[in-house]
Amino acid sequence: MSMNRRSLIGAAGLALAGPALEGAQAAEASKPAAKAPPPVTKILAQWILGSSYDTLPEPVRREGVRSFLNWVGVAVGGSHHETVNVAVSALQPFSGPPQAGLFGRTERFDIMNAAFLNGVASHIFDFDDTHLKTIIHPAGPVASAILAYAEMKPVSGKAFLDALVVGIETECRIGNAVYPNHYDAGWHITGTCGPFGAAAAAGKLMGLTEQQMVYALGLAASQPVGLRESFGSMNKSFNPGRAAANGLFAAILAAKGYTSSDGMIEARRGWANTISTKQDWSEITDGLGTRYESLLNTYKPFACGIVMHPTIDAAVQIRDQDHIRPEDIARVDLKVHPLVLELTGKTAPKTGLEGKFSIYHAAAVAFVEGAGGEKQFSDRAVNDPRVVALRRKVMPVVTPGIDAAQVDMTVTLNDGRVFHRFIAHAIGSVETPMSDAQLEAKFADLAAGVLPEAQAKRVMQLCWSLPDLEDAGAVARAGVQGA
């Protein structure tokens, strides 16, 4: 039989590669067998379905309600940002039936698009809740998915709250298992873990069987979204929005019997091993039903990356308590953790979205305006000549021994006087949490100009009353424009 030139080259290549392949296979075979992971996906599915409102400890219920209130507030506040306007305009021609509304707006979309758009709106200000152990923003993917579903298929407030807590627990525990290696590789962890939370919560409300829930988690594993390169652009808020829609999508398919692997989280070529060099299965399985990540959720008093909060806190304290004027400042020295400059090292932001990732802007605007809310991270604030001038005097230095949640600030004035603050736990942290009254004030400020004051108060009250609602979708209907 004749052999053409291509076949001859291929055969020769195989002959040459043979010893190398055999050697690699032998080396692989000689390695000690890795300990098989526990059936994480199945264990999670069983716990998700076994949870109920009655089994949730009272502090967990309370934090679930606070998470929901905060999420609704930021979704209302972000509802008319340019990013949401663009997304609404782009998706409206392709939307299915008008099944669910958007906070602060009049448009209605099918539940997949509504979940995405409310998820985008809730994250665009970077003002949403944060699980500090992983830097996941838990409520966005989960609440966006299940509130859209609750408008189409009414569910009680108790069932909704249980699903919300279960979803938050699922995504945060999975995040714990791979953080920080997964995040350090460049993944936006809210977008990669969020689909698990949304799928778990939505699947629970849909009444999935255990096998269907395993499939839902597996389908969620196939849909990680979000890279840290997107920070400072509209793309960042795309990630939790897409995570919400992806998780809902997974649960809907699983409910009809769409299959997946039974071990999509823990398998050798499953989610955790593929996208991280760290896999701590105990973080997922240990203490299910007794240790709740919901109790570690925090709420932002400042509308920017969480690692800048200690700096804003310190600047506002020095400004207000020591009566410092911005024009009198010669320099601001900051001792910070490496993550601060890695995440927020933009020296010359040009837009409000970029300002949310500039430690230079955060310090400067806090001294100039005495605050760190959404108005301080607008295009107007970023380009204010007073802020621009002061941010050139901000000198952050990575310093050993400084935690990511800390800052050591020294302010030197033109006349030589020096002022100092060390922040161990900024306001909004687990150790220094925002009070209910502060959350309400944040909600009211975000809703101002979007909803009339009386309507905003009504929505707020519905959020606080979530466990008593016969229909959780009432919150969504009350929060649309003109309700």
Side-chain angles (χ1 to χ4, degrees), residues 436-456:
D436 290 352
Q438 287 172 322
L439 282 178
E440 288 189 347
K442 175 182 174 180
F443 189 113
D445 185 61
L446 284 162
V450 179
L451 301 177
E453 183 178 354
Q455 184 182 358

Side-chain angles (χ1 to χ4, degrees), residues 108-304:
R108 290 183 67 79
F109 282 80
D110 61 90
I111 62 170
M112 300 295 294
N113 279 308
F116 169 74
L117 290 164
N118 275 328
V120 169
S122 71
H123 191 63
I124 191 58
F125 284 168
D126 233 304
F127 217 177
D128 41 350
D129 56 343
T130 307
H131 177 254
L132 294 178
K133 282 173 63 177
T134 57
I135 325 183
I136 290 173
H137 303 287
V142 180
S144 302
I146 59 176
L147 191 61
Y149 178 78
E151 280 211 74
M152 186 183 76
K153 297 283 188 181
V155 299
S156 72
K158 286 183 172 65
F160 184 96
L161 182 56
D162 177 44
L164 177 66
V165 169
V166 161
I168 288 174
E169 194 70 17
T170 298
E171 65 186 336
C172 289
R173 280 176 170 268
I174 291 173
N176 287 343
V178 297
Y179 185 85
N181 305 40
H182 168 65
Y183 189 78
D184 290 345
W187 290 99
H188 184 192
I189 195 166
T190 300
T192 56
C193 294
F196 291 111
K204 187 165 181 60
L205 290 180
M206 292 176 191
L208 300 190
T209 66
E210 182 182 319
Q211 184 62 67
Q212 288 170 336
M213 184 61 78
V214 167
Y215 292 157
L217 294 173
L219 292 166
S222 291
Q223 302 179 87
V225 59
L227 302 173
R228 283 169 52 194
E229 176 61 24
S230 66
F231 290 11
S233 72
M234 292 180 180
N235 192 166
K236 185 173 190 281
S237 62
F238 172 94
N239 302 336
R242 196 66 238 166
N246 285 355
L248 183 57
F249 191 64
I252 289 171
L253 286 174
K256 293 295 185 181
Y258 200 104
T259 68
S260 179
S261 162
D262 286 353
M264 280 291 282
I265 296 174
E266 72 276 9
R268 181 182 175 190
R269 293 181 177 84
W271 183 88
N273 283 303
T274 299
I275 64 177
S276 177
T277 56
K278 174 199 170 190
Q279 302 85 28
D280 185 348
W281 309 120
S282 66
E283 285 284 0
I284 300 177
T285 59
D286 287 3
L288 278 168
T290 58
R291 171 178 62 80
Y292 284 88
E293 298 299 314
S294 300
L295 296 177
L296 302 179
N297 206 10
T298 67
Y299 314 101
K300 292 184 176 184
F302 309 125
C304 59

Side-chain angles (χ1 to χ4, degrees), residues 306-328:
I306 197 77
V307 294
M308 301 198 298
H309 287 208
T311 292
I312 297 172
D313 197 349
V316 172
Q317 285 188 31
I318 291 176
R319 177 189 187 273
D320 293 347
Q321 296 172 14
D322 298 315
H323 310 293
I324 301 303
R325 298 187 307 170
E327 58 267 28
D328 293 334

Side-chain angles (χ1 to χ4, degrees), residues 53 156-158 161 461-471:
Y53 176 83
S156 72
K158 286 183 172 65
L161 182 56
Q461 185 54 48
L462 284 171
C463 292
W464 284 127
S465 303
L466 178 63
D468 301 320
L469 298 180
E470 293 183 7
D471 178 5

Side-chain angles (χ1 to χ4, degrees), residues 37-62:
V40 169
T41 309
K42 286 189 173 183
I43 291 170
L44 261 181
Q46 290 168 355
W47 175 77
I48 290 165
L49 296 178
S51 174
S52 70
Y53 176 83
D54 292 336
T55 64
L56 297 179
E58 181 55 37
V60 174
R61 295 178 190 171
R62 179 175 180 275

